[in-house]
Amino acid sequence: MSIAKPLKKAVAAVILDLDGTLINTGHFSFQFHGTDGILGDVLKALLLKYGKQWDGREAQKIVGKTPLEEAAIVVGDYELPCSIDEFVTQITPLLYDQFCNIKALPGANRLIKHLSGHNVPLALASNSPRAYIESKISYQQGWKQSFSVIIAGDEVRAGKPSPEIFLEGAKRLNIEPSRCLVIEDSLPGVTGGKAAGMEVVAVPSVPKQTHLYIAADEVISSILDLQPELWGLPPFEDWIDGTLPLEIWHIGGPVVKGFGRGSKVLGIPTANLSTKGYSALLSEHPSGVYFGWAGLSTRGVYKMVMNIGWNPYFNNTEKSIEPWLLHEFDGDFYGEELRLVIVGYIRPEANFTSLESLIAKIHEDRRIAERALHTPLYLKYKDDPYLKGSSVSRDSLVFIFLIVICFFIFLIKIFYLIK
C-alpha cells in the first residue's frame, strides 16, 4: 500500500464512537454533516411546524454534544416556543422511524469485521442514550455481537468531553486506559479520550476543520485510511497493488464546466459532474482519489480516475466531483450524459507544496488506476449495465422520435387521400 511507517504505540483495545465515526446520521444526538440526510429531513419537517427553516447553521456547534445539549442549541438558536424536553419528546419518535435508513460510513464494516475477526477487544462509546444506540446498531449486521462493551451517554454522569465514558469503557474491558485506542470524529470526543489518558485517532466529520484536532495523536480523512499496524494491531490485508476494492457505487449526470483548471493549469482534462442532487452522497463518501469505469452516452466506456473533495491546493469552497477519463478525446463533450461506476480507492485527498508535485501525484494515481483496471477484479465492472444505460436510453428516445414522425407523416398522407 505504502512505505511502512514506524509504530506509534502498541495498544490492546479499541474504543469507537458511533455517530459521525461509524454511521452517517446526524446525531440526535444531533451530530450533523450538512443540511441533508436523515437528521436534516427530520429537523426540516419539525421546524416547519414552528414556521422555521432548518439550514444547518448549528452543525459545528452541536458536533459531539449530548442530546440535551444539542436540543438546547437548536431550541435557543431558532427561538422555538417549547422547552428542551418538549422538543426532545417531539423529535424522538421521528428519529426512531429513520434509524433503519442510516448507512454505515465507508470503511466502518471493514474495520469492525477486521478487529473483531482478530479478537481485538472492542467498545462502543457514544453520548447518545442507550436506547438510541441499540436501535441504530440493530440495523447494522453483526455490529452488536462485535462489541464486547457498549457505554451510552445516559450511563455516565457526564458525557464527552468528560473522560468518564472512556474510562468506564476501559474498566469494563478490563484494560488499562493507556493501552486503549480511541477513534473519534468530534472535538469533544478527542478531548475526552486524551483526558482519559488514551491514544486518539481523529476522523473529523466537519469539513476543513482538521487543523482544530491538534490534541489527537493522528488525524485521518476517513476510516478507510486507518493503518492498524501503526498501533500494534493486525494490519489490513485487502489492499491490492496500491488500491482498496470497494463495494461499487454509481453516480452520473451531464458533464459541466468546472473551475477551468484541468486542461489550462494542470494539463489534465477532467469531465466534471454537477454536485446538485448529490449532497447526501458527497457527505457519505470521504474526500479522496477513487477509480473505476466511465460511460459516455454517445462514445463508449473508458477507464477513469476521480477526485472527490475540496482540492486543498486550490482551497475550493465546495466539495467537487472531478473524473479524469483516461482517453484522448478530440474535443469537449459538455452536456453529454456521463455515468460512473466507482470500484476502488487509492488514497486520501492531500495538499501539496507545489503545482508540480500535485501534477506528479495525479499522474501516479493514473498509473495505479490503469494498472488495476486491467486486472480481473476490476475489469469485470466494465460491463456494468449502468454504464450503458444512458446510451440505451438516448438511442431509444431517438427511435421513438423517428417512429412518431413517421406516424404523423402517415396520418397526413391518409388525410389527403381521404380528402
Side-chain angles (χ1 to χ4, degrees), residues 132-366:
Y132 280 21
I133 297 172
E134 295 280 359
S135 181
K136 289 173 185 176
I137 67 173
S138 70
Y139 296 102
Q140 307 299 328
Q141 188 175 0
W143 284 23
K144 189 171 183 179
Q145 304 91 298
S146 298
F147 292 103
S148 0
V149 168
I150 296 175
I151 317 103
D154 56 356
E155 296 174 339
V156 293
R157 289 168 297 178
K160 308 167 190 176
S162 165
E164 185 181 355
I165 200 166
F166 296 110
L167 293 172
E168 181 63 24
K171 180 181 176 182
R172 295 189 197 178
L173 289 170
N174 196 29
I175 293 176
E176 286 295 317
S178 62
R179 300 190 66 213
C180 293
L181 175 67
V182 170
I183 302 179
E184 267 281 357
D185 74 302
S186 72
L187 284 172
V190 170
T191 302
K194 291 309 299 177
M198 300 178 179
E199 302 300 302
V200 178
V201 171
V203 193
S205 58
V206 179
K208 307 180 84 169
Q209 297 295 312
T210 302
H211 62 285
L212 300 177
Y213 289 74
I214 53 174
D217 299 286
E218 183 183 18
V219 181
I220 57 178
S221 297
S222 80
I223 291 180
L224 292 174
D225 304 313
L226 182 71
Q227 297 180 59
E229 63 273 22
L230 299 184
W231 305 99
L233 299 170
F236 287 115
E237 296 178 347
D238 50 0
W239 282 85
I240 302 170
D241 293 331
T243 69
L244 176 63
L246 298 176
E247 182 177 341
I248 69 166
W249 47 286
H250 306 103
I251 188 171
V255 177
V256 299
K257 287 187 179 291
F259 300 96
R261 297 191 297 246
S263 299
K264 296 177 183 176
V265 179
L266 300 172
I268 297 164
T270 55
N272 295 55
L273 285 176
S274 170
T275 57
K276 188 176 181 180
Y278 286 111
S279 53
L281 183 142
L282 286 174
S283 72
E284 177 185 340
H285 291 283
S287 298
V289 178
Y290 300 82
F291 67 97
W293 297 97
L296 274 171
S297 55
T298 61
R299 298 169 187 258
V301 177
Y302 306 93
K303 296 175 182 176
M304 173 276 301
V305 64
M306 171 179 73
N307 184 78
I308 289 184
W310 305 87
N311 286 298
Y313 182 83
F314 295 105
N315 196 26
N316 285 7
T317 56
E318 295 181 358
K319 202 172 184 179
S320 62
I321 307 167
E322 300 183 45
W324 180 18
L325 276 58
L326 306 182
H327 179 80
E328 295 295 328
F329 293 95
D330 294 334
D332 295 328
F333 39 85
Y334 295 122
E336 283 199 38
E337 181 77 9
L338 175 64
R339 294 193 172 200
L340 307 177
V341 176
I342 293 85
V343 301
Y345 176 77
I346 296 176
R347 64 174 177 85
E349 189 174 50
N351 203 349
F352 295 87
T353 55
S354 68
L355 187 63
E356 291 73 23
S357 59
L358 169 59
I359 293 171
K361 192 65 175 177
I362 294 173
H363 282 282
E364 181 185 331
D365 295 334
R366 172 181 182 156

